């Protein structure tokens, strides 16, 4: 009697251990990573790049790609030995692979956002909020039959590319690398990033999406 | 060998971006709506550790793996280019819902429309290169 109780107790403890272990691994593989995991890992990425003698900056790749496609003929801005920036293009290809691995094997591809934000997006006709990783109303292949979405995607990209080179860096170069190095220019740039973002979301989105 | 290291760094970064949802359009929108602490926590915690780490690197004069100084050049002094360029970038960041790093990650995740955004970004970079001499810097 006692032996059976003891055995079942051990079994119970084992089961409990297994559940805890599963939750930990499940969480890391399938659940989204919380900010206190992601932030330090981003800092780690920056330090690894510094340690191998490079720097963390993703938008430079856009300039390198222009240069590699022969844009040096059109402007001196693209006349440089782009092969020296080959390392960063390889990091970029890695990021593509990372996106593939994470979306295929490590995610249910749903993002839970604040309910109040879901409500606002519903008013904008974006009903995939809270149920997808990207808004299907803008990013699905079917959405491309709407010319407005083309305009939105092209101009968004254009402003990112133009603004990043004008400001000399993007989120990785200024908000992470530059601010970490206490650079005043990066602080001005990051204030600009947020000013632009807030203007877009609070003043221009209502014009685009409610009409 | 070096190629594999850079490829792994990029893959690591790509997984972080996707798994933390920093590559999601919704998270960027939510950030500018002040709907959640998530994005602020990511950038803020990366920054706190970044500032501490770079102070340590400078204090103890830690070198890169090849023995050279680490790549911590100060940025050129100016206000106009950072303020105007930064604001334009922010407008695009919120409109496309993605900054350059996540754009590559989303291409790998199979959101094909992001290729249009990347094409726009390449065009924007190109046009900047053409007209940069006429812009205040």
């Amino acid at each position: 009697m006692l032996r059976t109780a003891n055995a079942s107790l051990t079994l119970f403890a084992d089961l409990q251990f297994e559940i805890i272990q599963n939750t930990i691994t499940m969480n890391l593989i399938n659940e989204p990573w919380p900010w206190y995991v992601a932030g330090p890992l981003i800092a780690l990425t920056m330090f690894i790049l510094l340690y191998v003698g490079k720097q963390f900056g993703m938008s430079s790749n856009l300039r390198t790609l222009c240069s590699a496609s022969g844009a040096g003929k059109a402007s001196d801005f693209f006349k440089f030995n782009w092969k020296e920036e080959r390392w960063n293009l390889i990091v970029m290809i890695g990021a593509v692979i990372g996106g593939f691995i994470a979306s295929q094997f490590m995610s249910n591809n749903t993002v839970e956002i604040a309910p109040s934000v879901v409500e606002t997006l519903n008013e904008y006709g974006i009903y995939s909020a809270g149920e997808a990783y990207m808004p299907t109303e803008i990013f699905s292949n079917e959405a491309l039959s709407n010319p407005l979405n083309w305009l939105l995607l092209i101009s968004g990209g254009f402003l990112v590319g133009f603004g990043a080179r004008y400001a000399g860096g993007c989120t990785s170069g200024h908000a992470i690398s530059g601010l970490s190095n206490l650079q005043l220019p990066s602080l001005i740039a990051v204030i600009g990033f947020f000013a632009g973002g807030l203007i877009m979301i609070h003043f221009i989105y209502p014009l685009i999406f409610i009409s | 060998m070096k190629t594999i290291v850079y490829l792994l760094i990029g893959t690591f970064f790509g997984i972080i971006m996707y798994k933390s949802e920093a590559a999601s359009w919704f998270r960027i929108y939510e950030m500018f709506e002040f709907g959640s602490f998530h994005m602020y926590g990511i950038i803020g915690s990366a920054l706190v550790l970044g500032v501490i780490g770079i102070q340590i690197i400078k204090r103890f004069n830690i070198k890169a793996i090849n023995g050279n100084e680490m790549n911590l050049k100060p940025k050129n002094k100016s206000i106009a280019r950072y303020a105007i360029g930064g604001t334009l970038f922010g407008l695009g960041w919120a409109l496309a819902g993605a900054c350059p790093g996540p754009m590559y990650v989303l291409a790998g995740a199979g959101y094909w429309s992001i290729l249009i955004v990347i094409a726009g970004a390449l065009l924007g970079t190109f046009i900047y290169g053409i007209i940069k001499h006429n812009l205040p810097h």
Side-chain angles (χ1 to χ4, degrees), chain A residues 35-203:
Chain A
W35 61 264
Y36 49 84
V37 171
L41 290 178
I42 293 171
L44 180 64
T45 309
M46 176 183 78
F47 286 122
I48 295 173
L49 281 169
L50 283 173
Y51 185 62
V52 297
K54 306 297 181 194
Q55 72 280 328
F56 185 37
M58 287 293 153
S59 61
S60 316
N61 284 314
L62 299 167
R63 183 185 178 196
T64 309
L65 285 172
C66 283
S67 174
S69 342
K73 288 186 203 107
S75 162
D76 284 349
F77 183 64
F78 302 109
K79 247 182 224 159
F80 61 96
N81 185 10
W82 66 269
K83 285 183 180 154
E84 276 178 19
E85 297 297 315
R86 211 182 72 106
W87 68 271
N88 208 354
L89 293 179
I90 298 167
V91 172
M92 180 187 82
I93 293 167
V96 175
I97 297 170
F100 175 78
I101 294 174
S103 62
Q104 295 297 312
F105 309 114
M106 303 171 72
S107 178
N108 58 8
N109 300 308
T110 313
V111 176
E112 276 177 40
I113 50 171
S116 61
V117 177
V118 172
E119 258 174 55
T120 318
L121 284 171
N122 285 346
E123 283 170 29
Y124 286 161
I126 296 175
Y127 298 106
S128 56
E131 285 160 19
Y133 196 91
M134 298 292 276
T136 46
E137 291 82 357
I138 302 170
F139 281 89
S140 69
N141 295 343
E142 295 76 44
L144 291 180
S145 58
N146 182 352
L148 186 73
N149 282 331
W150 279 83
L151 189 68
L152 191 150
L153 296 167
I154 287 260
S155 31
F158 185 92
L159 286 164
V160 166
F162 189 92
R165 270 307 43 78
Y166 196 172
C170 63
T171 331
S172 50
H174 277 311
I176 306 290
S177 302
L179 284 186
S180 288
N181 196 14
L182 305 176
Q183 295 295 304
L184 182 64
S186 295
L187 183 63
I188 302 170
V190 173
I191 292 171
F193 295 170
F194 275 87
L198 291 174
I199 293 169
M200 178 56 68
I201 299 290
H202 294 277
F203 298 107

Side-chain angles (χ1 to χ4, degrees), chain A residues 28-33 35 38-48 50-56 58-59 61-63 65-66 71 74-75 77-78 86-87 90-92 94-96 98-103 106-107 109-114 117 120-121 124 126 128-129 132-135 138-140 144 150 152-168 170-171 173-176 179-183 185-186 188-189 192-194 196-202 205 208, chain B residues 3 5-7 9-43 45-47 49-55 57-58 63-66 70-101 103-114 116-133 135-137:
Chain A
L28 273 181
I29 299 294
N30 287 322
E31 296 288 308
W33 291 351
W35 61 264
L41 290 178
I42 293 171
L44 180 64
T45 309
M46 176 183 78
F47 286 122
I48 295 173
L50 283 173
Y51 185 62
V52 297
K54 306 297 181 194
Q55 72 280 328
F56 185 37
M58 287 293 153
S59 61
N61 284 314
L62 299 167
R63 183 185 178 196
L65 285 172
C66 283
S75 162
F77 183 64
F78 302 109
R86 211 182 72 106
W87 68 271
I90 298 167
V91 172
M92 180 187 82
V96 175
F100 175 78
I101 294 174
S103 62
M106 303 171 72
S107 178
N109 300 308
T110 313
V111 176
E112 276 177 40
I113 50 171
V117 177
T120 318
L121 284 171
Y124 286 161
I126 296 175
S128 56
Y133 196 91
M134 298 292 276
I138 302 170
F139 281 89
S140 69
L144 291 180
W150 279 83
L152 191 150
L153 296 167
I154 287 260
S155 31
F158 185 92
L159 286 164
V160 166
F162 189 92
R165 270 307 43 78
Y166 196 172
C170 63
T171 331
H174 277 311
I176 306 290
L179 284 186
S180 288
N181 196 14
L182 305 176
Q183 295 295 304
S186 295
I188 302 170
F193 295 170
F194 275 87
L198 291 174
I199 293 169
M200 178 56 68
I201 299 290
H202 294 277
Y205 263 45
I208 303 175
Chain B
T3 305
V5 171
Y6 291 128
L7 203 61
I9 296 172
T11 307
F12 179 67
F13 173 69
I15 292 176
I16 301 166
M17 284 289 108
Y18 198 86
K19 289 294 294 173
S20 67
E21 301 174 340
S24 166
W25 184 99
F26 291 116
R27 284 294 190 189
I28 306 302
Y29 180 83
E30 184 191 48
M31 170 178 72
F32 288 123
E33 283 275 11
F34 302 106
S36 151
F37 179 71
H38 187 73
M39 288 303 298
Y40 297 98
I42 292 179
I43 299 173
S45 60
L47 210 48
L49 291 173
V51 170
I52 295 171
I54 287 182
Q55 287 304 314
I57 289 171
K58 286 184 170 170
K63 299 277 192 284
I65 194 167
N66 57 7
M70 284 203 190
N71 215 328
L72 294 168
K73 288 179 292 247
K75 311 256 180 203
N76 298 327
K77 295 267 182 299
S78 157
I79 291 180
R81 72 172 296 190
Y82 299 113
I84 305 170
T87 306
L88 291 174
F89 177 87
L91 288 166
W93 187 15
L95 184 58
C99 48
M103 283 181 195
Y104 317 135
V105 175
L106 290 168
Y111 296 99
W112 304 123
S113 299
I114 204 73
I116 302 170
V117 180
I118 294 175
L122 285 167
L123 185 67
T125 306
F126 180 70
I127 299 294
Y128 170 76
I130 303 287
I131 64 167
K132 77 180 283 254
H133 297 297
L135 300 168
H137 275 82

